Amino acid sequence: MPHQITALDLPQAELSDATKAYFEKCVEKLGLIPNVLLAYAFDEKKLRGFTDMYNDLMLGESGLSKLEREMIAVAVSSVNHCYYCLTAHGAAVRQLSGDPALGEMMVMNYRAADLSPKQKAMLDFAVKLTETPAKIEETDRAALRGVGFSDRDIWDIASTAAFFNMSNRVAAAVDMRPNAEYHGMAR
Amino acid sequence: MPHQITALDLPQAELSDATKAYFEKCVEKLGLIPNVLLAYAFDEKKLRGFTDMYNDLMLGESGLSKLEREMIAVAVSSVNHCYYCLTAHGAAVRQLSGDPALGEMMVMNYRAADLSPKQKAMLDFAVKLTETPAKIEETDRAALRGVGFSDRDIWDIASTAAFFNMSNRVAAAVDMRPNAEYHGMAR
Amino acid sequence: MPHQITALDLPQAELSDATKAYFEKCVEKLGLIPNVLLAYAFDEKKLRGFTDMYNDLMLGESGLSKLEREMIAVAVSSVNHCYYCLTAHGAAVRQLSGDPALGEMMVMNYRAADLSPKQKAMLDFAVKLTETPAKIEETDRAALRGVGFSDRDIWDIASTAAFFNMSNRVAAAVDMRPNAEYHGMAR
Amino acid sequence: MPHQITALDLPQAELSDATKAYFEKCVEKLGLIPNVLLAYAFDEKKLRGFTDMYNDLMLGESGLSKLEREMIAVAVSSVNHCYYCLTAHGAAVRQLSGDPALGEMMVMNYRAADLSPKQKAMLDFAVKLTETPAKIEETDRAALRGVGFSDRDIWDIASTAAFFNMSNRVAAAVDMRPNAEYHGMAR
Amino acid sequence: MPHQITALDLPQAELSDATKAYFEKCVEKLGLIPNVLLAYAFDEKKLRGFTDMYNDLMLGESGLSKLEREMIAVAVSSVNHCYYCLTAHGAAVRQLSGDPALGEMMVMNYRAADLSPKQKAMLDFAVKLTETPAKIEETDRAALRGVGFSDRDIWDIASTAAFFNMSNRVAAAVDMRPNAEYHGMAR
Amino acid sequence: MPHQITALDLPQAELSDATKAYFEKCVEKLGLIPNVLLAYAFDEKKLRGFTDMYNDLMLGESGLSKLEREMIAVAVSSVNHCYYCLTAHGAAVRQLSGDPALGEMMVMNYRAADLSPKQKAMLDFAVKLTETPAKIEETDRAALRGVGFSDRDIWDIASTAAFFNMSNRVAAAVDMRPNAEYHGMAR
């Protein structure tokens, strides 16, 4: 391994069979085990807590498409300049959209993208929630409803944006390194 | 109910027996069901994702005391001006420390507290990670090691601070209201 | 005295009879001598300058109620994270309103409170004046007039918000400690 | 009068003889009545409160020279971009120092001036107190002591910087206009 | 020379005849050689690159008057607190407008000036472009068109504001000192 | 042309033979005409001003390698979230370094890169100059000299960082779109 996954030296426990199976499924489906999972794997309870929440948010049922959730992930991570999340989720936007430039716009500045008013409002909310959470008011929720989002959609936008505000900070705090494979994907 | 728990109108599912039992245990141990749990209860998968991560972080094994984890929670929430988390976790700091003024200092400005250099470094890191996550560097981790934290402790400081950066934003986005009981606790 | 009132070691002059009488009246009416007065008492001219301005602003005639002036004090001090002023004036909001939660909202995030549009506009102005004074323009004054404030009211809102921007900074600069009694008041 | 002194229309009371005499003394000594005094004159109690505090801070006894206090006034007002205070107190720095460029540096960026380490530390403290009052810590006071300031000097630096954080905001809130004469003074 | 023009010690090349002639023309027309030109003169190619761009932007054909371009220069430099540019271009605003107070307003806070809506929009755009370039959107350009600016005017506003964001930073980085003569001009 | 190069509708002049030849050379050497050149081509004087300065800074003699200058370009553009410059110069970093991940780190957060102390200091200076130009002081230049940069190198670091603070803002103001080819280069 040419580079550690994080800057922390954490005692690595023996992986359970369930975790080994989960990681094998990752390799099968994604071609790799995302480093974030390896970073959490020093404690399987923490790993499961992370993956349960992540999988529900990003892959579960929602009025938001998977691409839209990835767009939120990347726009939030751009504000926070998170190398790990921009790399991994930038690749996801490229893959899910089939539009490499869209992935780059999310990484660099979502305002450069030619989005529908609905998606623009979604990212405006996610970014305001990231930058100045204390200043969110009813008018901000009303703006989302005004472009057609349901209250359940608002929950999903909020909790996705909030989740990446968490992940960005875990990654920053431990200097988490993304898998090298992401860089070349879906270019 | 004089006031809704959140500003969102979410279809409320019938609670499972497991969730009902969990809520009963809350009433037994805390004297109330924290509103954040009721806010998540519209979807039991999300509720479980939240409580699993929360309970591991705040109640699980760690080199940090429960009080220290609550201090991180409140210092982070102070930066983000989160009414819900400052109310609920401010009460927790008062209770766990038996020192009402300490709770208020965490809410208002942790720099006012007369902390050990170790606890001061812990909160400085948590607050920098909150305000400018992109600017965390090896020197910041070194400062934590320098006052005696292990790498595992750094993970716990980081993931606790990160978690409340998530929770603060969910609460802000949906205007989550804390249980009225918190205000008078441990004064 | 378990803790110094400020971090500065200032030569304490003999108090004049007038100041002694003033402090006795404080004890009579408030049950304590606010520490800010003791902090200024090293120089009676400075003490009198402070109390004259303070008493006129907070207790004198105004179109704003005493509670509204205290709400401004606390909302401004929340932006500046001033431990002294949040403690002392948070208690005042609780007392004058008889609503402990209102006091907490002012301390934590005034946007969480269910205010009239008039009071909301008042605090929005006070907070903008605190955060970005250079960006106040005629439209900001017009917003206050639009919800029913007179020009004299605008003066009072402005000078109260401005005063606490001063007091917050004196308190921060000298690490002023509030009287312990405030913490338990009107909970 | 070609331009109103403020953007507020405040009922102007008849001036008392004492105030008239005070204003005459201003004309005698300064060649003008500073507009800030006329702005406050709608209420003589407020005028007196302002002048008592101002005169004590800026003209009273202190370990800081009058020029140093004016330098603090201008450096603080530069952060807050206060047109009134930069104009009036920029003129004062030019006059007291006999160095027009020094006045301009205080207005534009005090870091451009070739100051003694003591005066540099004084302005660094005043500006930090202005920008991020919540982040003042014991090390900041220690830095002032380290270059030779006494605790009483620290009080004076702090209260002068704090006062202009108040005045800047009153001026911004009411769009206070400086006397035209200041612009040409001591160039 | 009592003071160096910059904080850098750069090997000074022999000036070409063309540059000498250019500097003589400066003395003839302006009464001085602007120090920025002397700062760049260590490398004539850089000097020529700077003056070509500068002269085109500030003196070339444009829908903006020369005064308006200088107003942009100063309003941008005020945000960046650039001592060199505020001094040199503040003088230019005073000279071109014949209104010393206007020059001071641009230096201190352009919002204090009594501008036409068109000029106000121009400076609002220039300042937003300076403070938060990433947040410029089509609505910002639309606001300029709405007050009567052509697309070519928008280019000129943008490139003038952008140019001074460059110059401010070169000057800050090398501590560039303005010619002393500017201070007294057109007062 | 599927998308305009900028959001402005500028009258396009007939290109001179010299400009046509220059553009042909671009195609020959780069495989494309960078859109920024087409954006400036509505006025050949502006185009020449831009290219003269650009070519001297980025391709001329310097103690900084071409790669280092591109790293500055991208790190600065990352702070300013400039879609055009991040795309074009991110590609340049990938090409010149042969290290796609390095290009991504410059785009996302240069602090993630494993740089030499000298290159780290170079980018720290460029980013501070971008974020808070008013706060550059002699200590910042001393830090560059301390890792081995000459005063001439400091000029080059400063003027490169400053140039991209200009270009970022021109691009933001006019919504400049990068050539699609950049996205896939050197991945």
Side-chain angles (χ1 to χ4, degrees):
Chain A
M1 195 163 52
H3 201 298
Q4 269 193 292
I5 285 170
T6 75
L8 301 186
D9 187 16
L10 297 172
Q12 210 63 32
E14 181 69 20
L15 296 182
S16 69
D17 288 347
T19 297
K20 282 181 194 159
Y22 185 69
F23 284 179
E24 274 160 31
K25 217 168 65 181
C26 288
V27 173
E28 208 176 289
K29 288 179 65 171
L30 308 172
L32 52 78
I33 307 167
N35 279 352
V36 64
L37 301 186
L38 297 175
Y40 272 93
F42 76 93
D43 180 331
E44 296 212 347
K45 204 169 182 185
K46 294 183 193 304
L47 173 63
R48 206 162 46 245
F50 177 85
T51 54
D52 282 357
M53 190 181 277
Y54 179 89
N55 290 337
D56 174 60
L57 273 175
M58 299 305 282
L59 307 173
E61 279 203 30
S62 169
L64 309 178
S65 71
K66 284 177 193 168
L67 172 58
E68 286 169 334
R69 289 176 261 177
E70 293 287 353
M71 287 164 68
I72 293 171
V74 184
V76 165
S77 303
S78 175
V79 173
N80 291 328
H81 289 281
C82 178
Y83 177 55
Y84 184 95
C85 300
L86 288 168
T87 301
H89 295 277
V93 171
R94 295 194 304 271
Q95 283 183 315
L96 289 170
S97 68
D99 180 357
L102 185 70
E104 295 296 88
M105 286 165 177
M106 292 301 110
V107 166
M108 293 166 178
N109 190 341
Y110 77 96
R111 295 175 196 87
D114 193 20
L115 301 170
S116 70
K118 195 174 174 184
Q119 288 187 337
K120 178 64 165 44
M122 175 186 83
L123 295 181
D124 283 348
F125 186 91
V127 164
K128 181 173 178 182
L129 188 61
T130 298
E131 294 183 331
T132 52
K135 297 196 176 174
I136 293 284
E137 300 193 271
E138 187 58 27
T139 50
D140 298 298
R141 287 179 289 271
L144 290 178
R145 292 188 191 105
V147 292
F149 286 111
S150 70
D151 276 23
R152 168 60 203 267
D153 295 336
I154 296 175
W155 178 277
D156 289 355
I157 295 169
S159 49
T160 305
F163 180 85
F164 283 92
N165 271 286
M166 176 178 71
S167 278
N168 291 172
R169 284 176 174 84
V170 171
V174 306
D175 192 23
M176 198 180 287
R177 323 297 308 178
N179 306 60
E181 291 88 337
Y182 288 126
H183 293 299
M185 283 181 183
R187 295 290 184 187
Chain B
M1 195 163 55
H3 202 299
Q4 270 192 291
I5 285 170
T6 77
L8 301 186
D9 187 17
L10 298 172
Q12 209 63 31
E14 182 69 20
L15 296 182
S16 69
D17 287 345
T19 297
K20 282 181 195 162
Y22 185 68
F23 283 0
E24 274 160 31
K25 216 168 66 182
C26 289
V27 173
E28 208 177 290
K29 288 180 65 173
L30 309 171
L32 52 77
I33 307 167
N35 280 351
V36 64
L37 302 186
L38 297 175
Y40 272 92
F42 76 94
D43 180 329
E44 295 212 348
K45 206 169 181 184
K46 294 183 192 305
L47 174 63
R48 206 161 44 245
F50 177 84
T51 53
D52 282 356
M53 190 181 276
Y54 178 90
N55 290 337
D56 174 60
L57 273 175
M58 300 303 283
L59 307 173
E61 279 202 31
S62 170
L64 310 178
S65 71
K66 284 177 193 169
L67 173 58
E68 286 169 333
R69 289 177 261 177
E70 292 288 352
M71 287 165 67
I72 293 171
V74 183
V76 165
S77 302
S78 175
V79 173
N80 291 328
H81 290 281
C82 178
Y83 177 54
Y84 185 93
C85 301
L86 288 169
T87 300
H89 294 278
V93 172
R94 295 194 304 272
Q95 282 182 317
L96 289 169
S97 67
D99 181 355
L102 185 70
E104 295 295 88
M105 285 165 177
M106 293 301 111
V107 165
M108 294 165 177
N109 191 340
Y110 77 96
R111 294 176 197 86
D114 193 19
L115 302 170
S116 70
K118 194 172 175 185
Q119 289 188 336
K120 178 64 167 43
M122 175 186 84
L123 295 182
D124 283 348
F125 185 91
V127 164
K128 180 173 180 183
L129 188 61
T130 299
E131 293 182 332
T132 52
K135 298 194 175 174
I136 293 283
E137 300 193 272
E138 187 56 28
T139 50
D140 298 298
R141 286 179 290 271
L144 290 178
R145 291 188 191 106
V147 292
F149 286 111
S150 71
D151 276 25
R152 169 58 204 268
D153 295 336
I154 296 176
W155 178 277
D156 289 354
I157 295 169
S159 50
T160 305
F163 180 86
F164 283 91
N165 271 286
M166 176 178 70
S167 278
N168 291 172
R169 284 176 174 83
V170 171
V174 306
D175 192 22
M176 197 180 289
R177 323 297 307 179
N179 306 57
E181 291 87 339
Y182 288 126
H183 292 300
M185 282 181 184
R187 296 290 184 187
Chain C
M1 196 162 53
H3 201 300
Q4 267 193 294
I5 285 170
T6 76
L8 301 187
D9 187 16
L10 297 172
Q12 209 63 32
E14 181 70 20
L15 295 182
S16 69
D17 288 346
T19 297
K20 283 181 194 163
Y22 185 68
F23 283 0
E24 273 161 32
K25 216 167 67 182
C26 288
V27 173
E28 207 177 292
K29 288 179 66 172
L30 309 172
L32 52 77
I33 306 167
N35 280 351
V36 64
L37 302 186
L38 296 175
Y40 272 93
F42 77 93
D43 180 331
E44 297 212 348
K45 205 169 181 184
K46 293 183 192 305
L47 173 63
R48 206 163 44 245
F50 177 83
T51 54
D52 282 357
M53 190 181 275
Y54 178 90
N55 290 337
D56 174 60
L57 273 176
M58 300 304 281
L59 307 174
E61 279 202 32
S62 169
L64 310 178
S65 71
K66 283 176 193 170
L67 172 58
E68 286 169 333
R69 289 177 259 177
E70 292 289 351
M71 289 165 67
I72 293 171
V74 183
V76 164
S77 302
S78 176
V79 173
N80 291 328
H81 289 281
C82 178
Y83 177 55
Y84 185 94
C85 300
L86 288 169
T87 301
H89 294 278
V93 171
R94 296 194 304 271
Q95 283 183 316
L96 289 170
S97 68
D99 180 355
L102 184 69
E104 295 296 89
M105 286 165 177
M106 293 301 110
V107 166
M108 293 165 177
N109 190 340
Y110 77 97
R111 295 175 196 85
D114 193 20
L115 301 170
S116 70
K118 194 172 174 186
Q119 288 188 336
K120 179 64 166 43
M122 176 185 82
L123 295 182
D124 283 347
F125 186 92
V127 164
K128 180 173 179 183
L129 188 61
T130 298
E131 293 182 332
T132 51
K135 298 194 175 175
I136 293 284
E137 299 194 272
E138 187 57 27
T139 50
D140 298 297
R141 286 180 289 272
L144 291 179
R145 291 187 192 107
V147 291
F149 285 112
S150 70
D151 276 24
R152 168 59 204 267
D153 295 336
I154 296 175
W155 178 277
D156 289 354
I157 294 169
S159 49
T160 304
F163 180 85
F164 283 92
N165 271 287
M166 175 178 71
S167 279
N168 291 172
R169 285 175 174 84
V170 171
V174 306
D175 192 23
M176 198 180 287
R177 323 297 306 180
N179 306 60
E181 292 88 337
Y182 288 126
H183 293 299
M185 282 182 184
R187 296 291 184 186
Chain D
M1 196 162 55
H3 201 297
Q4 268 193 294
I5 285 169
T6 76
L8 301 187
D9 187 16
L10 296 172
Q12 210 62 32
E14 181 69 21
L15 296 181
S16 70
D17 287 346
T19 297
K20 282 181 194 163
Y22 185 69
F23 284 0
E24 273 160 31
K25 217 167 66 182
C26 288
V27 173
E28 209 177 292
K29 288 179 65 171
L30 308 172
L32 53 77
I33 307 167
N35 279 351
V36 65
L37 302 186
L38 297 174
Y40 271 92
F42 77 93
D43 180 330
E44 297 212 348
K45 206 169 180 183
K46 293 183 192 306
L47 174 62
R48 208 162 42 244
F50 177 83
T51 53
D52 282 357
M53 191 181 276
Y54 178 90
N55 290 337
D56 174 59
L57 273 175
M58 299 304 282
L59 308 173
E61 280 202 31
S62 170
L64 310 178
S65 71
K66 284 176 192 168
L67 172 58
E68 286 169 334
R69 289 177 260 176
E70 293 288 351
M71 288 165 67
I72 293 171
V74 183
V76 165
S77 303
S78 176
V79 173
N80 291 327
H81 289 282
C82 177
Y83 176 55
Y84 185 95
C85 300
L86 288 169
T87 301
H89 294 278
V93 172
R94 296 195 303 272
Q95 281 182 318
L96 290 169
S97 67
D99 180 355
L102 184 69
E104 295 296 88
M105 286 164 178
M106 292 301 111
V107 165
M108 294 166 177
N109 190 340
Y110 76 96
R111 294 175 197 86
D114 192 20
L115 301 171
S116 70
K118 194 173 175 185
Q119 289 188 336
K120 179 64 166 43
M122 175 185 82
L123 295 181
D124 283 348
F125 185 92
V127 163
K128 181 173 179 182
L129 188 61
T130 298
E131 292 183 331
T132 52
K135 298 195 176 175
I136 294 284
E137 299 194 272
E138 187 57 26
T139 49
D140 298 298
R141 285 179 289 272
L144 291 179
R145 290 188 193 105
V147 291
F149 286 111
S150 70
D151 276 24
R152 169 59 203 269
D153 295 337
I154 296 176
W155 178 276
D156 289 354
I157 295 168
S159 49
T160 304
F163 180 86
F164 283 92
N165 272 286
M166 176 178 71
S167 278
N168 291 172
R169 284 174 173 84
V170 171
V174 306
D175 192 22
M176 198 180 287
R177 322 299 306 181
N179 305 58
E181 291 87 337
Y182 288 126
H183 292 299
M185 282 181 185
R187 296 292 185 186
Chain E
M1 196 162 52
H3 201 299
Q4 267 192 294
I5 285 170
T6 76
L8 301 186
D9 187 17
L10 297 172
Q12 209 64 31
E14 181 69 21
L15 296 181
S16 70
D17 288 346
T19 296
K20 283 181 194 162
Y22 185 68
F23 283 0
E24 274 160 30
K25 216 168 66 181
C26 288
V27 173
E28 207 177 290
K29 287 179 67 172
L30 308 171
L32 52 77
I33 307 167
N35 280 351
V36 64
L37 302 186
L38 297 175
Y40 272 92
F42 77 93
D43 180 330
E44 296 212 348
K45 205 169 182 184
K46 294 183 192 302
L47 174 63
R48 206 161 46 244
F50 177 84
T51 53
D52 282 357
M53 190 181 277
Y54 178 90
N55 290 337
D56 174 59
L57 272 176
M58 299 304 281
L59 307 173
E61 279 203 32
S62 169
L64 309 179
S65 70
K66 285 177 191 168
L67 173 57
E68 285 169 334
R69 288 177 260 176
E70 292 288 351
M71 288 165 66
I72 292 170
V74 183
V76 164
S77 303
S78 175
V79 173
N80 291 328
H81 289 282
C82 177
Y83 177 55
Y84 185 94
C85 300
L86 287 169
T87 299
H89 294 278
V93 171
R94 295 195 304 273
Q95 282 183 317
L96 289 169
S97 67
D99 181 355
L102 184 69
E104 294 296 89
M105 285 165 177
M106 292 302 111
V107 166
M108 294 166 178
N109 190 341
Y110 76 97
R111 295 174 196 87
D114 193 20
L115 302 170
S116 70
K118 194 173 175 185
Q119 288 187 337
K120 179 63 168 43
M122 175 186 83
L123 296 181
D124 283 347
F125 186 92
V127 164
K128 181 172 179 182
L129 187 62
T130 299
E131 293 182 331
T132 52
K135 298 195 175 175
I136 294 283
E137 299 193 273
E138 187 57 27
T139 50
D140 298 298
R141 286 179 290 272
L144 290 179
R145 291 188 192 105
V147 292
F149 285 111
S150 70
D151 276 24
R152 169 59 203 268
D153 295 336
I154 296 176
W155 178 277
D156 289 355
I157 295 168
S159 49
T160 305
F163 180 85
F164 282 92
N165 271 287
M166 176 178 71
S167 278
N168 292 172
R169 284 176 174 83
V170 171
V174 306
D175 193 22
M176 198 181 288
R177 323 298 306 180
N179 305 58
E181 291 87 339
Y182 288 126
H183 293 300
M185 281 182 185
R187 295 291 183 187
Chain F
M1 195 163 52
H3 202 299
Q4 268 193 292
I5 285 170
T6 76
L8 301 186
D9 187 16
L10 296 172
Q12 210 63 32
E14 181 70 21
L15 295 181
S16 69
D17 287 346
T19 297
K20 282 182 194 161
Y22 185 69
F23 284 179
E24 273 160 32
K25 216 168 65 181
C26 289
V27 173
E28 208 176 291
K29 288 179 65 171
L30 309 172
L32 51 78
I33 308 168
N35 279 352
V36 63
L37 302 185
L38 297 175
Y40 272 93
F42 77 93
D43 180 331
E44 296 212 347
K45 204 168 180 185
K46 294 183 192 306
L47 174 62
R48 206 162 44 243
F50 177 83
T51 54
D52 282 356
M53 190 182 277
Y54 178 90
N55 290 338
D56 174 60
L57 273 175
M58 300 304 282
L59 307 173
E61 280 202 31
S62 169
L64 309 178
S65 71
K66 283 176 194 170
L67 172 58
E68 286 169 333
R69 289 177 260 178
E70 293 287 352
M71 287 165 68
I72 293 171
V74 183
V76 165
S77 303
S78 176
V79 173
N80 291 328
H81 288 281
C82 178
Y83 177 55
Y84 185 94
C85 300
L86 288 169
T87 301
H89 294 277
V93 171
R94 295 194 304 272
Q95 283 183 316
L96 290 170
S97 67
D99 180 354
L102 184 70
E104 296 295 88
M105 285 165 178
M106 293 300 111
V107 165
M108 293 166 177
N109 190 341
Y110 76 96
R111 295 174 196 86
D114 194 19
L115 302 170
S116 70
K118 194 173 175 185
Q119 289 187 336
K120 179 65 167 42
M122 175 186 83
L123 295 181
D124 283 347
F125 185 91
V127 163
K128 181 173 180 183
L129 188 61
T130 299
E131 293 182 332
T132 52
K135 297 194 177 174
I136 293 285
E137 299 193 272
E138 187 57 28
T139 50
D140 297 298
R141 286 179 289 271
L144 291 179
R145 291 187 192 107
V147 292
F149 286 111
S150 70
D151 276 24
R152 169 58 203 269
D153 295 336
I154 296 176
W155 178 277
D156 289 355
I157 295 168
S159 49
T160 305
F163 180 85
F164 283 92
N165 271 286
M166 176 178 70
S167 279
N168 291 172
R169 284 176 173 85
V170 171
V174 307
D175 192 25
M176 198 180 287
R177 323 297 306 180
N179 306 58
E181 291 88 339
Y182 288 125
H183 292 300
M185 282 181 184
R187 295 292 184 185

